[in-house]
Amino acid sequence: MGGKGLLIVISGPSGAGKGTVCQEYLKRHPETLLSISMTTRAPRKGEIDGVNYYFRDVETFEKLIEEDCFLEYAKVYGNYYGTPKGFVKQKLLSGRDVILEIDIQGALQVKEKFHEGVFIFIVPPTMEELKKRIEGRGSETAEELQRRFNSSFKELQFITRYNYMVINDRVEDAVMKIESIVTAEKCRVERNMSFYSELKGGIDNDLSIFR
Ligand code: 5GP
């Protein structure tokens, strides 16, 4: 059966492990695509332009905002991040599922414009674990780490704006839950109306067979 792909929006506080969960999901579902965002932040060690992000300067980013090229964009920790509109729309129309791994501000913007999306919030099993994971990255200064932890804590309250919560205790379990969510979403009646019409059209509706 053809039809539109599913837009899967995944957010969660910094340190919840959403990146790892998304990567594992993509490994198991190579037909699903991850939207690569554009950002004005500098690449971290090992990050590659066009793979992790499109790294661009503020001027370029703001020009693209003016040209309405983003499905959503937000400033996170002082840097711009945005989702390329054309890529996402094109891929969904061609029937591919697309994952957006974006922050809460961005997810709320997408929710306004795109009611068919499925919005998943990844949470850590405990706040201690969250702190450990943020520290474990070792890529930021102490001040930056504290800032990330504080904002992660604040971000938790936005969970009520999402459709699903996935606790990321073990990555495999979190991935399995996302697989279940995707499967259930694809079975929703409102997503299958055209299939239903086709099915119904194939029935001989002549009730004389009962007489
Ligand atoms: P990082 O700098 O650690 O890669 O990402 C910082 C935050 O920005 C994360 O919460 C990440 O999910 C979010 N982010 C990444 N890409 C986008 C995007 O295109 N739009 C929005 N709104 N947030 C993004």
Side-chain angles (χ1 to χ4, degrees):
M1 190 181 58
K4 271 175 78 180
L6 187 66
L7 182 68
I8 306 160
V9 181
I10 298 188
S11 314
S14 172
K18 54 191 187 297
T20 316
V21 171
C22 286
Q23 287 309 324
E24 191 55 35
Y25 182 91
L26 290 162
K27 230 191 271 169
R28 294 195 205 176
H29 301 273
E31 72 289 356
T32 299
L33 299 167
L34 178 72
S35 157
I36 300 169
S37 301
M38 183 175 285
T39 184
T40 57
R41 90 151 157 72
R44 295 193 187 113
K45 208 170 161 235
E47 284 184 332
I48 299 168
D49 182 48
V51 176
N52 304 91
Y53 285 104
Y54 296 104
F55 296 100
R56 296 293 182 273
D57 58 23
V58 174
E59 197 186 8
T60 307
F61 199 102
E62 288 181 340
K63 190 160 171 279
L64 291 175
I65 294 175
E66 267 170 41
E67 290 171 13
D68 195 26
C69 292
F70 295 110
L71 186 62
E72 62 72 36
Y73 71 91
K75 254 192 178 165
V76 186
Y77 309 119
N79 294 304
Y80 278 123
Y81 293 81
T83 302
K85 197 199 282 185
F87 175 84
V88 174
K89 291 206 160 163
Q90 219 176 19
K91 295 302 174 189
L92 289 174
L93 278 174
S94 75
R96 307 283 291 269
D97 293 348
V98 178
I99 295 185
L100 307 185
E101 190 209 315
I102 59 177
D103 91 313
I104 294 163
Q105 311 167 64
L108 296 181
Q109 289 175 46
V110 178
K111 207 171 171 214
E112 286 291 309
K113 297 184 209 163
F114 219 94
H115 306 286
E116 314 97 283
V118 51
F119 295 82
I120 302 174
F121 200 81
I122 310 262
V123 293
T126 61
M127 288 314 280
E128 285 73 38
E129 180 61 26
L130 180 86
K131 200 164 183 200
K132 240 192 272 168
R133 289 182 191 171
I134 294 177
E135 285 166 358
R137 285 189 178 170
S139 55
E140 278 103 347
T141 61
E143 196 186 37
E144 175 74 3
L145 291 176
Q146 187 61 45
R147 191 154 67 117
R148 285 207 175 215
F149 182 73
N150 290 347
S151 77
S152 287
F153 190 74
K154 275 195 223 139
E155 279 169 4
L156 282 176
Q157 65 182 310
F158 284 95
I159 195 162
T160 55
R161 309 290 296 274
Y162 286 73
N163 305 122
Y164 295 96
M165 176 191 85
V166 169
I167 301 170
N168 180 23
D169 195 347
R170 288 181 54 227
V171 174
E172 306 88 89
D173 293 345
V175 170
M176 232 165 56
K177 285 178 188 159
I178 295 175
E179 285 169 343
S180 306
I181 292 166
V182 169
T183 305
E185 283 293 323
K186 288 188 175 176
C187 294
R188 289 185 82 107
V189 172
E190 62 267 33
R191 291 194 202 278
N192 289 286
M193 287 315 281
S194 59
F195 176 76
Y196 166 71
S197 303
E198 247 170 64
L199 193 68
K200 214 173 58 160
I203 297 175
D204 181 357
N205 213 5
D206 182 1
L207 296 182
S208 65
I209 55 163
F210 290 97
R211 291 188 190 109

